[in-house]
Amino acid sequence: MIRFRPGARALLAAFLLLAGCAAAPPVPPEFEPPRAVGLAPLRAERPIVALALGGGGARGFAHVGVIEELERNGIVPDIVVGSSAGSFVGALYAGGIGGAALEEIALGMEEADVRDLVISRLGFVRGERMQAFINRRLQDRRIEELPRRFAAVATDLASGARVAFTRGDTGMAVRASSSFPVLFQPVEIEGRRYMDGGLTSPVPVEVARALGADVVIGVDVGRRPEYAGALDSLPEIILQALAIMGKYVGQAERQSADVLIVPDVSDVGLVDFPHRKAAIDAGAAAGRGAIEAIRKAIAARKP
């Protein structure tokens, strides 16, 4: 009997459900498409602090716990940058939704709120429900209208380039950033297709620096490639290959963060919604353990 890890089981289930559960997605309203516009770096008399939130599917719920712990300790980032799941949480946070409200949203979400299954050779989730969810929660504000400076990192499918969306439709930018290969369809924006930001920037520290950050707090919720199983199914092999790639693609960037927070979410699968509270708690524990290091990093940057 073949046994699958929770993440692989959920991914496989998504494939098998397609024949009977494909749903018509909501038609998103027309907004200015997201664009990667170069912005002048933020400047202030005090150190500019950024939060760089990495990708990891349902492990991204850990970002909520990290944010809650930062808030409890009076650490308020000026800049938020997200890849993949980090862009989802990051957009809401940059939009003024605090840690407690983020947790309430996370625990109240249903998978159907953000996942629209389709039958297509390009992918099995369209992503329009996710786009609509973000825009609805943000009252249809564009990226440049959010209270905190925000960037959603995606990958140009044709060129392989990292792209940081800093203006335009927030929900579509998050959708592009979160379009996990094979599972999600690529997102077409002004004639180009985009996919998951984690392919080029698993923890987007460099974009945070470009936006003016003096101190970058990175949060890494990616899957580790160490695996003791047989890897005898297509979903397991796909997930393992992407985990190996993510480990090496983002290694230098992760290490360049002033403080890197790594929640223990090893038991949470890629699409493991039932374990979101465990992921939030793991994020809070890891954030709590990093507070002193963050304070020291900020103090070291003061004039």
Side-chain angles (χ1 to χ4, degrees):
M1 178 178 178
I2 298 174
R3 298 183 182 276
F4 303 115
R5 296 187 65 183
R9 272 201 308 271
L11 186 59
L12 181 61
F15 294 157
L16 296 178
L17 281 170
L18 294 178
C21 296
V27 178
E30 290 291 330
F31 297 121
E32 178 190 353
R35 292 190 172 99
V37 178
L39 300 178
L42 287 181
R43 293 287 181 260
E45 295 299 317
R46 56 175 177 76
I48 298 293
V49 178
L51 192 57
L53 303 177
R59 299 181 191 92
F61 286 114
H63 294 315
V64 174
V66 171
I67 289 169
E68 287 185 292
E69 203 58 40
L70 295 180
E71 288 184 338
R72 289 189 190 103
N73 288 274
I75 298 168
V76 182
D78 305 283
I79 299 166
V80 183
V81 183
S83 279
S84 197
S87 75
F88 186 96
V89 176
L92 298 175
Y93 183 50
I97 300 175
L102 281 173
E103 180 165 355
E104 184 177 347
I105 290 170
L107 297 179
M109 284 172 58
E110 301 291 339
E111 290 187 62
D113 292 334
V114 294
R115 187 171 300 148
D116 38 16
L117 294 177
V118 295
I119 298 174
S120 169
R121 60 188 176 83
L122 298 178
F124 304 106
V125 180
R126 194 189 305 272
E128 289 178 358
R129 288 188 188 276
M130 177 188 297
Q131 178 177 334
F133 182 91
I134 290 292
N135 282 334
R136 185 170 61 251
R137 289 288 180 175
L138 295 177
Q139 294 81 51
D140 295 334
R141 286 174 292 171
R142 293 171 296 184
I143 295 173
E144 65 269 27
E145 296 171 330
L146 303 180
R148 288 191 180 90
R149 182 167 286 192
F150 173 67
V153 177
T155 301
D156 186 308
L157 187 57
S159 70
R162 179 181 65 198
V163 176
F165 291 117
T166 55
R167 291 195 177 277
D169 186 331
T170 310
M172 183 176 280
V174 169
R175 175 185 167 195
S177 179
S178 304
S179 292
F180 188 80
V182 181
L183 186 57
F184 278 77
Q185 294 181 352
V187 179
E188 185 166 331
I189 301 171
E190 298 189 309
R192 300 194 71 83
R193 288 178 173 176
Y194 296 91
M195 292 210 74
D196 199 293
L199 296 174
T200 48
S201 193
V203 182
V205 176
E206 291 176 1
V207 172
R209 297 272 188 218
L211 292 176
D214 300 304
V215 176
V216 179
I217 304 164
V219 186
D220 182 5
V221 294
R223 178 177 177 267
R224 301 295 173 266
E226 293 77 16
Y227 185 66
L231 290 171
D232 54 4
S233 74
L234 179 60
E236 288 175 327
I237 291 170
I238 291 171
L239 292 173
Q240 178 70 355
L242 289 169
I244 293 168
M245 181 191 70
K247 176 180 178 180
Y248 293 101
V249 165
Q251 188 169 11
E253 190 171 12
R254 279 189 291 262
Q255 292 173 349
S256 70
D258 295 279
V259 178
L260 183 64
I261 300 173
V262 186
D264 183 4
V265 286
S266 54
D267 291 333
V268 181
L270 179 70
V271 287
D272 198 358
F273 262 58
H275 287 161
R276 62 194 125 172
K277 184 61 169 70
I280 292 170
D281 291 344
R288 194 159 46 248
I291 294 300
E292 189 58 34
I294 294 169
R295 286 179 173 150
K296 287 180 178 178
I298 294 172
R301 293 283 184 163
K302 288 182 178 177

